[in-house]
């Protein structure tokens, strides 16, 4: 599995024209990288226009969320089939900012199950609000993973990635240490191996997200031994994001 660097643009930028520029700049900057996959997750409303630009390009597109039903009376929602129809095959699910708006573990599970069934890839975000000395944060991450993957058959594990995003590190500048990231990667792999057997480990990437930028990416990648990054704030500056991708490509 190649490592992957994904930029989560969240509710940015403010117009399609700015989104076009950001996408084009990123695409130019990473066009020659061969050892890393690069993707960006723009707001839903920009996806189809950017999907036209992304045809045949290295930088592919990721949706920031998806609904579990295929069609029907679900105002405001977007389905996996709709995403696939514009060649968007990857979806972020369970981001802490969406969970914060009330998304439950059960809904995350339905979204994940619908996504892998549709042949798309679910990038499942997990992570604790805070750490404690008793390891409760580990139990919470384990629960999130077990719930999210409850409807995923072993044959679909290639359509899953886990992004460990400690909430205390998101948008705060408080990155987890490389040691924290590495410890959690091993823990997540243990949970996956308990659930599906060791072969799962060669199929599921474990990413880190939380204030990643061009300054901390090298240490987090080499010592954290993660399979890539989910980058928020720093992905809005093309040069910063390109540099993170270049670091992963080089290492
Ligand atoms: C994110 O939103 O997924 C994220 C990791 O944000 P940031 O890099 O800004 O912490």
């Amino acid at each position: 599995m190649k490592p992957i660097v994904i930029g989560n643009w969240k509710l940015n930028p403010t117009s399609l024209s700015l989104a076009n520029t950001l996408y084009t700049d990123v695409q130019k900057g990473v066009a020659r990288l061969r050892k890393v996959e690069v993707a960006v997750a723009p707001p839903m409303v920009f996806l189809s226009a950017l999907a036209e630009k992304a045809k045949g390009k290295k930088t592919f597109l990721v949706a920031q969320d998806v609904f579990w039903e295929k069609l029907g009376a679900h105002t405001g929602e977007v389905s996996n089939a709709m995403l696939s129809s514009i060649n968007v095959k990857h979806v972020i699910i369970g981001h802490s900012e969406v969970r914060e708006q009330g998304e439950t573990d059960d809904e995350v599970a339905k979204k994940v199950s619908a996504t892998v069934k549709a042949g798309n890839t679910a990038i499942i975000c997990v992570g604790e609000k805070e750490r404690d000395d008793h390891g409760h944060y580990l139990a919470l991450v384990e629960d999130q993973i077990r719930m999210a993957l409850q409807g995923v058959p072993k044959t679909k594990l290639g359509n899953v990635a886990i992004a460990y995003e400690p909430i205390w590190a998101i948008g705060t500048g408080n990155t987890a240490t490389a040691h924290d990231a590495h410890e959690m990667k091993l823990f997540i792999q243990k949970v996956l191996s308990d659930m599906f057997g060791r072969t799962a480990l060669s199929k599921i990437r474990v990413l880190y997200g939380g204030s990643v930028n061009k300054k901390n990416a090298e240490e987090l990648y080499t010592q954290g031994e993660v399979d890539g990054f989910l980058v928020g704030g720093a992905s809005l500056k093309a040069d910063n994001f390109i540099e993170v991708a270049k670091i992963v490509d080089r290492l």
Side-chain angles (χ1 to χ4, degrees):
M1 285 184 299
K2 271 191 197 174
I4 184 166
V5 175
I6 304 168
N8 175 16
W9 292 358
K10 311 190 190 198
L11 190 63
N12 302 284
T14 50
S15 69
L16 176 58
S17 140
L18 288 170
N20 268 321
T21 306
L22 182 54
Y23 176 81
T24 306
D25 289 350
V26 168
Q27 167 54 29
K28 277 188 197 145
V30 303
R32 298 222 175 116
L33 306 186
R34 292 286 167 262
K35 292 188 231 124
V36 62
E37 288 185 18
V38 182
V40 294
M44 216 55 108
V45 68
F46 300 146
L47 277 179
S48 35
L50 293 179
E52 282 301 311
K53 278 189 158 321
K55 277 186 186 153
K57 296 288 191 319
K58 176 169 177 73
T59 311
F60 65 88
L61 298 174
V62 175
Q64 293 181 17
D65 200 2
V66 72
F67 193 59
W68 54 85
E69 295 292 353
K70 288 189 180 135
L71 77 176
H74 306 287
T75 304
E77 304 293 358
V78 167
S79 72
N80 270 290
M82 292 170 187
L83 294 173
S84 301
S85 76
I86 56 164
N87 210 25
V88 174
K89 307 286 293 167
H90 294 70
V91 187
I92 295 172
I93 297 175
H95 192 281
S96 60
E97 287 154 12
V98 183
R99 291 183 191 256
E100 189 63 28
Q101 296 296 321
E103 183 187 57
T104 62
D105 281 325
D106 199 43
E107 289 168 344
V108 169
K110 287 200 237 176
K111 290 177 181 181
V112 171
S113 169
T115 299
V116 301
K117 254 191 215 140
N120 289 345
T121 295
I123 298 144
I124 305 164
C125 300
V126 297
E128 75 282 1
K129 272 206 175 94
E130 57 194 9
R131 290 211 163 184
D132 58 281
D133 295 335
H134 309 287
H136 294 316
Y137 67 96
L138 293 171
L140 179 129
V141 168
E142 173 162 3
D143 282 353
Q144 286 179 328
I145 293 173
R146 286 187 179 275
M147 292 284 293
L149 294 179
Q150 61 188 285
V152 178
K154 236 175 154 174
T155 50
K156 291 285 186 185
L157 292 180
N159 293 58
V160 168
I162 305 285
Y164 170 56
E165 297 212 302
I167 297 172
W168 47 268
I170 297 182
T172 59
N174 269 338
T175 324
T177 62
H179 178 265
D180 291 338
H182 185 54
E183 180 191 66
M184 190 55 91
K185 181 190 174 183
L186 296 178
F187 178 73
I188 289 171
Q189 287 190 318
K190 180 185 172 305
V191 174
L192 294 172
S193 165
D194 287 350
M195 288 181 78
F196 299 105
R198 284 198 62 79
T199 51
L201 305 189
S202 60
K203 300 194 175 123
I204 304 181
R205 291 184 179 104
V206 180
L207 315 181
Y208 169 77
S211 298
V212 174
N213 57 46
K214 63 182 180 185
K215 293 200 180 119
N216 56 29
E218 175 159 352
E219 186 172 331
L220 280 165
Y221 186 66
T222 50
Q223 296 176 35
E225 291 183 31
V226 289
D227 305 311
F229 295 120
L230 187 51
V231 185
S235 71
L236 298 173
K237 296 261 182 272
D239 59 336
N240 203 328
F241 183 66
I242 292 163
E243 201 48 46
V244 173
K246 281 186 176 167
I247 288 167
V248 173
D249 187 69
R250 170 165 56 80
L251 298 170

